[in-house]
Amino acid sequence: MEWQTSTEPVSYDAAMAAMAQRVSFIQRGEAAELNWLLEHPPLYTAGTSAKETDLLRAEFPVFKTGRGGQYTYHGPGQRIVYVMRDLKKHPPGEDLRAYVCGLEKWIIATLAAFGIEGFTREGRIGVWAATPTGEAKIAALGVRVQRWVTSHGIALNVRPDLSHYAGIVPCGISEFGVTSMAALGRDAPMAEVDAALKKTFGEVFA
């Protein structure tokens, strides 16, 4: 597995084009699997299950995307990891549910490294954390699989501007809000978050 980190925000169109090309190379055995760590400028994306009514106001550009899921926000202070992985080469193999479960465990293990208890909830996509007012989403995930090579991945809220979520119903869930590591008192440098992501990825997907 190769790791790549972009130090400047990457436009969504450029990221999608680069990811599609890399997936094609992986499918043909011409490139290694890749975890790409990056940030986007502020934008909204609409997954394959997105409902138009969940776009409350288009404060930022809106992109339709091939990943599963509904509307979500991407922006500075959020660590996105696009995971391009050939499921055929790793146990349990061609099992999308197990892979998604692995992504959730990866996020939870990363949060634990900073003293944050992350968890999943039946019927709610993503990873959640306790806040003084209840539970809020701290990380989103969306996956696409083509010939068993994955693309898209996870988005962990490190220190994004949470007010930017006001233009959408995040992942179609209106009853719960969003939070971040910084909002929970863990304002870690992005480099430390990246180091934890790399370490825990090896532990979860060993």
Side-chain angles (χ1 to χ4, degrees), residues 166-202:
I168 58 171
V169 178
C171 299
I173 302 173
S174 58
E175 312 93 286
F176 300 92
V178 290
T179 190
S180 68
M181 293 174 59
L184 296 177
R186 306 293 194 279
D187 193 8
M190 195 66 80
E192 288 186 16
V193 176
D194 289 348
L197 283 164
K198 291 177 182 179
K199 180 177 184 294
T200 54
F201 184 88

Side-chain angles (χ1 to χ4, degrees), residues 38-131:
L38 70 148
E39 295 171 83
H40 285 307
L43 57 91
Y44 298 130
T45 65
T48 54
S49 302
K51 301 174 184 176
E52 289 299 326
T53 52
D54 286 343
L55 179 62
L56 305 179
R57 53 184 182 274
E59 298 181 5
F60 305 110
V62 180
F63 296 86
K64 291 186 177 181
T65 182
R67 62 159 175 81
Q70 302 186 44
Y71 278 101
T72 194
Y73 164 78
H74 294 316
Q78 184 187 70
R79 177 48 91 212
I80 292 168
V81 191
Y82 288 137
V83 182
M84 288 151 268
R85 181 176 175 86
D86 189 342
L87 297 182
K88 299 188 301 296
K89 294 183 177 180
H90 306 279
E94 299 170 7
D95 188 334
L96 182 56
R97 183 181 294 273
Y99 171 65
V100 170
C101 183
L103 293 179
E104 293 170 340
K105 290 179 179 178
W106 178 30
I107 296 167
I108 290 169
T110 300
L111 290 170
F114 296 93
I116 297 172
E117 181 183 358
F119 48 85
T120 58
R121 287 287 188 246
E122 186 70 28
R124 282 195 247 150
I125 299 169
V127 175
W128 302 76
T131 71

